[in-house]
Every structure is written in C-alpha cells, then in structure tokens.
Amino acid sequence: MPPRRSSGHGNNTGHGNTNNSSNSRRLRVDYPRRGRRGLLRLVPSWRQLLALSLLCCGAVAALVGYVYSTVHIADVNAAARAEANVYYWADGTHMVTVGAVNRQNIPLSDIPPSLQNAVIAAENADFYSDPGFSVGGVGRAVVNMARGGQVQGGSTITQQYVKNTYLTPEQTVDRKLRELCLAVKLSRSLSKQEILQGYLNTSWFGRNAYGVQAAAVAYYGMDAKDLDPGRSALLAALLKGAEQYDPSLSEANHRRAEARWRYVLDRQVELGHMTREERARYTVFPEPRPQSVSPGLSGQTGYLVDVANKYIQKRTGLTAEELGRGGYRIRTTFDKTGVERLRRSVEQVTARALDPGNRAADRDVQVGAASVRPSDGAVLALYGGPDATEHFTNNADTAGVPVGSAFKPFVLAAALQHGVRSAGAAPPRLPVTSDSFYDPTGALTAATPLLAGGGESRFGDGVLPFATGLPTLREALVRGGDSVYSRLGEDVGLAKVRDLAVSTGLLPQSMAPLERRFSVGTSTPSAIRMADAYATFAEEGRRTDPYSVTAVTYRGTRLEGLEPPPGRQVLDTAVAREVSRAMRDVAVDALAPDTLRALGPVAAGRTGDDDRLPAAWFVGYTEELSTAVTVFRDKPGRGGLLPLTGLGGAAGPGASAETRDFLPLRVWSSYMTAASEAPAPAQETDFRASADSP
C-alpha cells in the first residue's frame, strides 16, 4: 500500500521554518540573551565567557609571538653606553657637566661567590632554574596594570639585566612585554653565568656607582674581589633602592639598610648558600665609608646639583639611577652671581667672627642659607656648606635644625586667621590683632598696653616692655616673648598653627610634636622651605612652592611635569599684610637699624634671646627676595647638635645669645645689601636652543 501523502504545503512550510530558525541560531550570538528579563539579559553564559577568554588568550599569544619575533638583542656595549648630564644656570650659561657613568666591567671570576650568592638570595632565589621570567612577577604586573598603577612586578635578574642594558626605564605595557620577550631570548642565547655577570656589571648601587666594582670602591674603598660576605650582603641590599638603603644618607636609611642586611644573610642560610656557623661570624653591621663627591661638584656646585636632582625626581618620577645614566640637559633657576654673592657673605662674616683655631666653641660651626624669589618661588641661591666634596650634607636643604622663634610669625598668622578660643563652654572664637596682649588676668585683649610711666610700649625707647609693661604680640615677635607665644599657640589650637605653617610652604614631615613649646619653634624646616614660607607673607598670602628646575630635555625631547608650580591663595590678604607689618615694625628698630634700614621695607623674624634651642636663624624678605640663614654646630658621630654657648668668644648667657644671633643676621644683611645693589637676575630664555647644543 503506497504511503500516505501528507499535506505538502503544511509539511514544507513547517520544515522550511525549522531550517531557517536553526540557521539563525547558528549565525546569531545570543547576546543580550533571549528568555531573560532585565539585567539578567546582560549576564553572559558560561559558554560565552569561555569563548571570550579563549579569544583573549589567543590575542595575547599572538601579540607575544609577534613581539618575540620582532625584538632583537642589540649590541650590549652600544645599548649600555651612557652620556653625561649637563646643568645650566638660570641665564642659560653652562654650570657643570656630570658624568659619564662610573662603571668598570669585571669578569664573574673576579666577583666573589659570597657576593653572587647574596645578590641571588636578595633578588631572585630561583635564578638558576627559572626561564628568564617569573610567572608570579608577570601576574603582579597584570594586577598592577588593572588597578591603574605602574606596570611592574617582581622581575627576575634576567629581566632586570634586560632593563639595565637594552630598554628605556618607563613603566608601560609595551616596555614590559618587550622586557619579557627579550629575557626569554637572552636566556636561550646566554648562559646563566653570563647573564649574572652582565647584571652585576650594570646594576645601580647609588653613589653614582654602576656595577659591583664601582660600588665596592664607593662604599668600602676596595676591589669587588676583596669583599667579605658581610660587605657583600650590604651591596646586595642596596639593589632594592640605594636612595632608601644607603646607610650614610639618614638614620631611617641606616635602620632600613641594617634590617635588609640581616635579611640577606639569613636568606642565604635558608637557601643553603651559607652555613649557620659562617652566618654567626657576621653580626656587626659593616659601616661603609663616608660618601664622596666628584671633584667637578666642589664648592657650592654639588649642593646645587643635589637640589636640582631631587626636584627632577619629585616632579618627573625619574629615579637617581635613571638620572645617573646621563643624557639630560637641565636648566636650573640658580643665579650664578647670587650664589657667589651668598657664598662670599657667609665666608666673610664667619672669618671675622669665628676663631676655630683658638676657641673650641667656634669649631664645627655650620651655616645653611637659601634665597627665593617671592613672586614665583624660584630658588635663586643657596649655601649648603663649605664644600660639597668635603661636607656632603646640604645645610640649605637639611631638616634637622630647630627653627626657634623664627616660627612665631606662623603662630601670629594663625591667631589673626582663626582667632582664639574663649573660656565659655561652647566658645565663639575671639578676634586678635597684632596689638593684642595678655593682661594680668590672662585674658587676651586688643587694647594697646601702657608702660608704668604711662607711655606706649615701644622698642625704640630702649626699654624692654617685659620689665615695666606688657608686650603686644607684635613686640613679642622679635625680642623674647616665648611665654606669650606658647600661650597664644595653645589658645589658637596647635593643630591650627601647624596646618597654617604647612599651608604656607613648610613640609608636614618637618613639624614637631604638638606640645607646649611647639609654637616657639621645635620644628625643623629647611632654609629653602623657611625662605619660601616667608615669601607667602611677602606675596600677601599667595603661596608658590619652591622650584629649582625650569626645563629638562633628554636627547632632544623635553620632559613634562616641570612647569613652574602654580600659585594659590592660602591666607587672607589682610592677615598676610598684618603679619608683614608686624615684622616690619619691630625688625629694623629692634635688630639692626643701621644695617637694615638701607634695604627699604624689610620684614624679618629670628631666634630670640630666650630661645633654648641649639641653633640661630634669621629669615626676612623684601619685595624681590626672601632669604633664610641658619647657624648651628654639628659634629658627625655625636648624634645631635652641639650647643652654641660661647660662640664667637662671648661669655655669659646674655652675651652668648647676642653673639649667637648676630651671625645669621650679618650673613643675611651682607647678602641682601649686595643683592639690592645688583641688577635683577636674568630670566629664562628659550631652553631648547641653548640646552640642546653642546
């Protein structure tokens, strides 16, 4: 019996729809997903996630394969060749050329096993077995990239050697990928011993030393082959970052270096590179010798370069290692004539006042000074010490000298800005003027105090208001008044005083603990920062951060991030004017009328007669310059500043204070007087034209 025919129209139509629907499903990606509602339509299925992951992995593999096939191992000597850095004065004339790189290549046979093992233990324990890269390190780099951070991770010794020798230092995905591929290629073409030798000859150890031979000489004055395991462990510790681990740079560095040194030795025991018995012989930290400076950086030049380099690193992110490789053309703000003028003022004043050969109190005296242009914060001159090749600590940029009552203007400004707390339970803040004073009841009033004889309290009459009357806040700024300002700081609020001082330009890390004497200068700002903070008063409350570099080019390309810092208003204009007026009213008559009056309007603060701190300051400004000078005594190895008692041959407490305080005042006035008689410093012209030429 023949089979029954179905309705062709119905069946054909049904089969036709099924085929079309099936083809549609095969060609169309089901996203957003059908059959879901709301946000669930946007959630991909596990198959879609798997497909996307495979697609991404394939793309990455293709990219890695392409980069691997296109990167080439260049000539090592050509790639590692370094240039000198050239520094220019503000007017574009040549200041100094620094370089080329301090490096002496030596064979691995001249590098003791103790140093090889220390470096491997500190940097890459699996060096002899890894393929040239670390999977964990690559993973960390990817995570950092996903978080928006720098593209970096725990690199192997091979990767670090590639970075030192073949690549630029920027942290980008492209550079990291090329580093990875070059590391793999290098591992296949060189032995581990050759890679380790290259790494140890190209690594940065600080003190302008590239490679272990230069580092051994810089830190211990010996060849690398003569290093023992203790000294080798310190050099290995420096690879983590010489700026943070050179023990001679600061106490914090010393603590970090000693802890890292112990870790490197203990790690060698864990890895079997050293026995416990041998480790037990190295318990005393091997102190390196003091840092020395290139003869080309003698005099003030080394201090200038130091300040410029720190500024470049802060603004551009370059490290000391990258700067040390050279090739940079650096235009500074330093005025050649101003630097020489400041040096001459310091040397002439100290030569007349001090006699270190016959008076012990005149020995180990240090002077630091800095001069800033108030209008924009440019550092025009500084005095960092007698010679950067003999006294490397930069006295103009040090942060270990208490500023004394030169800090009082910040307390006065905080009182004017915020008022003082009243005695009520929920107190309104009471307004203050520079003529306010504490009456016998302890209340702060704005009335002008009277002396016992009925006349106004003045410095010009030669009578101290403390003996017969009550000092105003204005009068207590310069001559005595520590008790007045200690009380005023507490009434304003020490946190408000600190915050205002920081807002004018002092660094937070230089602020002392908030205790009673905080308001009379237990903080330790640098001379550069003090000059800049006083410039905020000169500019009527407008602050501009100090800067020392206007432009840097690298092989013809100008680096970004070195535009002059923008100014911003941090104090009420009326407050800044009142502080300036208060300092001007008392500075000339109370301190040195014959010396300062010739300079025109001068506002100044200084350490006072009742300062009990082992330092003397004078900070003052005119419209054109703000200059800070500090004098202190410091002997390396003593662990603190020495007293200034007897400085200059003075005897007795009163004479000691007077002699101590006149040194910074005379340096300041000598420099500022000479500066007022000289033409204004030259401004920056076209840097590209001058800096890119030989």
Side-chain angles (χ1 to χ4, degrees):
M1 181 177 179
R4 180 181 299 174
R5 289 180 176 267
S6 302
S7 171
H9 177 74
N11 286 339
N12 289 343
T13 300
H15 285 294
N17 288 342
T18 299
N19 291 338
N20 289 340
S21 177
S22 176
N23 290 337
S24 177
R25 282 196 300 271
R26 282 194 294 268
L27 296 176
R28 182 179 181 276
V29 177
D30 184 20
Y31 190 84
R33 298 174 68 189
R34 292 176 296 176
R36 299 282 196 278
R37 293 183 178 180
L39 293 177
L40 291 176
R41 299 178 67 245
L42 302 178
V43 178
S45 68
W46 69 268
R47 292 185 179 86
Q48 291 170 336
L49 289 174
L50 178 61
L52 182 62
S53 299
L54 292 174
L55 182 63
C56 290
C57 289
V60 170
L63 177 62
V64 172
Y66 171 76
V67 174
Y68 185 86
S69 64
T70 55
V71 296
H72 301 288
I73 301 176
D75 172 50
V76 173
N77 292 326
R81 186 179 299 122
E83 304 173 51
N85 288 331
V86 184
Y87 296 79
Y88 298 87
W89 296 103
D91 62 3
T93 57
H94 178 266
M95 182 169 74
V96 67
T97 298
V98 180
V101 166
N102 175 24
R103 178 176 62 231
Q104 299 90 42
N105 292 330
I106 58 176
L108 194 64
S109 58
D110 283 348
I111 302 174
S114 64
L115 180 54
Q116 299 178 39
N117 292 334
V119 169
I120 290 172
E123 297 293 304
N124 185 185
D126 300 324
F127 169 68
Y128 282 110
S129 60
D130 67 36
F133 66 93
S134 164
V135 175
V138 173
R140 285 190 291 274
V142 172
V143 171
N144 286 339
M145 180 181 65
R147 291 176 176 174
Q150 287 189 319
V151 187
Q152 59 186 3
S155 297
T156 64
I157 283 177
T158 307
Q159 287 175 273
Q160 293 180 60
Y161 176 47
V162 166
K163 182 184 71 173
N164 292 347
T165 309
Y166 301 105
L167 299 176
T168 56
E170 76 272 14
Q171 295 288 345
T172 63
V173 175
D174 173 66
R175 195 205 61 77
K176 196 70 180 178
L177 184 57
R178 286 187 290 125
E179 174 192 300
L180 180 65
C181 293
L182 274 172
V184 174
K185 278 194 170 185
L186 207 65
S187 292
R188 298 181 64 180
S189 60
L190 297 178
S191 69
K192 289 290 187 178
Q193 289 75 17
E194 290 173 314
I195 293 172
L196 182 61
Q197 174 181 296
Y199 172 68
L200 292 175
N201 277 319
T202 57
S203 292
W204 166 254
F205 288 86
R207 300 193 179 187
N208 197 35
Y210 288 85
V212 293
Q213 175 63 21
V217 173
Y219 285 89
Y220 292 111
M222 61 176 61
D223 291 332
K225 62 183 176 60
D226 297 324
L227 293 170
D228 62 18
R231 294 183 175 94
S232 295
L234 177 61
L235 294 191
L238 293 168
L239 292 170
K240 192 173 178 66
E243 300 95 333
Q244 299 294 316
Y245 289 88
D246 183 344
S248 67
L249 296 182
S250 68
E251 291 184 7
N253 270 32
H254 197 285
R255 289 192 297 270
R256 283 190 291 265
E258 193 165 353
R260 182 72 176 171
W261 172 76
R262 290 195 181 95
Y263 165 79
V264 173
L265 289 171
D266 293 340
R267 182 66 171 153
Q268 290 181 75
V269 175
E270 293 177 19
L271 297 174
H273 299 322
M274 180 184 289
T275 65
R276 293 187 182 278
E277 292 74 19
E278 186 178 10
R279 167 66 181 91
R281 293 200 294 269
Y282 300 98
T283 58
V284 178
F285 184 71
E287 296 287 351
R289 66 180 187 173
Q291 184 170 357
S292 61
V293 180
S294 167
L297 298 177
S298 61
Q300 297 305 302
T301 306
Y303 304 123
L304 301 174
V305 168
D306 172 61
V307 169
N309 285 348
K310 288 178 181 176
Y311 184 78
I312 293 169
Q313 292 170 45
K314 177 182 177 182
R315 292 297 297 269
T316 68
L318 286 173
T319 66
E321 174 184 359
E322 291 156 4
L323 267 176
R325 291 187 181 277
Y328 296 92
R329 303 292 183 265
I330 300 161
R331 178 75 164 266
T332 72
T333 61
F334 304 127
D335 173 48
K336 182 178 182 179
T337 304
V339 171
E340 174 61 19
R341 187 183 301 126
L342 184 55
R343 180 199 64 79
R344 190 165 53 247
S345 295
V346 171
E347 292 182 356
Q348 289 176 350
V349 168
T350 55
R352 287 195 299 265
L354 303 179
D355 185 9
N358 296 312
R359 290 194 295 261
D362 290 352
R363 297 167 192 160
D364 306 307
V365 175
Q366 297 293 333
V367 179
S371 192
V372 169
R373 187 164 56 213
S375 61
D376 64 351
V379 182
L380 300 181
L382 58 83
Y383 181 86
D387 191 320
T389 62
E390 299 173 1
H391 176 81
F392 188 72
T393 301
N394 191 339
N395 294 341
D397 197 31
T398 188
V401 182
V403 72
S405 51
F407 189 79
K408 289 177 186 175
F410 305 113
V411 185
L412 177 60
L416 297 172
Q417 182 92 9
H418 301 294
V420 298
R421 295 174 289 205
S422 64
R429 298 188 75 85
L430 303 178
V432 174
T433 72
S434 61
D435 286 320
S436 296
F437 71 102
Y438 284 98
D439 66 23
T441 69
L444 192 64
T445 174
T448 301
L450 299 179
L451 294 174
E456 286 191 1
S457 171
R458 299 288 186 195
F459 280 115
D461 58 14
V463 179
L464 285 177
F466 300 84
T468 53
L470 299 167
T472 64
L473 300 182
R474 178 202 316 272
E475 292 165 336
L477 266 177
V478 174
R479 195 183 294 270
D482 274 14
S483 60
V484 172
Y485 272 85
S486 292
R487 174 71 181 275
L488 181 64
E490 291 183 333
D491 288 347
V492 174
L494 296 182
K496 289 185 180 297
V497 173
R498 176 199 60 202
D499 294 345
L500 184 138
V502 169
S503 74
T504 61
L506 302 188
L507 295 177
Q509 57 266 34
S510 70
M511 294 292 99
L514 300 183
E515 44 80 33
R516 179 172 175 79
R517 290 191 58 80
F518 173 80
S519 297
V520 292
T522 53
S523 297
T524 57
S526 69
I528 292 175
R529 285 289 172 172
M530 281 296 286
D532 184 67
Y534 269 52
T536 300
F537 299 130
E539 286 296 295
E540 300 188 334
R542 183 176 179 272
R543 168 193 171 181
T544 305
D545 288 331
Y547 71 102
S548 55
V549 174
T550 58
V552 176
T553 63
Y554 180 71
R555 296 179 179 176
T557 301
R558 192 160 183 158
L559 272 61
E560 297 181 356
L562 291 166
E563 302 78 14
R568 57 193 182 279
Q569 198 74 21
V570 297
L571 285 178
D572 291 347
T573 299
V575 169
R577 287 176 178 172
E578 179 70 1
V579 173
S580 288
R581 186 172 69 89
M583 287 195 287
R584 286 192 180 109
D585 285 350
V586 296
V588 174
D589 288 336
L591 297 178
D594 296 334
T595 302
L596 300 184
R597 191 172 286 121
L599 295 176
V602 172
R606 62 153 187 163
T607 47
D609 297 340
D610 55 351
D611 273 300
R612 292 179 289 175
L613 300 170
W617 286 78
F618 192 92
V619 190
Y621 55 86
T622 63
E623 291 183 358
E624 293 79 20
L625 287 177
S626 177
T627 302
V629 181
T630 181
V631 174
F632 57 95
R633 293 180 65 217
D634 179 31
K635 189 171 185 177
R638 287 294 299 267
L641 301 183
L642 302 173
L644 293 179
T645 306
L647 185 68
S656 176
E658 181 181 355
T659 305
R660 176 197 67 186
D661 294 336
F662 89 84
L663 271 177
L665 168 60
R666 286 193 177 180
V667 170
W668 187 93
S669 59
S670 172
Y671 166 74
M672 293 291 280
T673 300
S676 68
E677 298 169 352
Q683 301 294 309
E684 179 186 2
T685 54
D686 182 14
F687 177 66
R688 288 182 189 273
S690 62
D692 293 340
S693 58

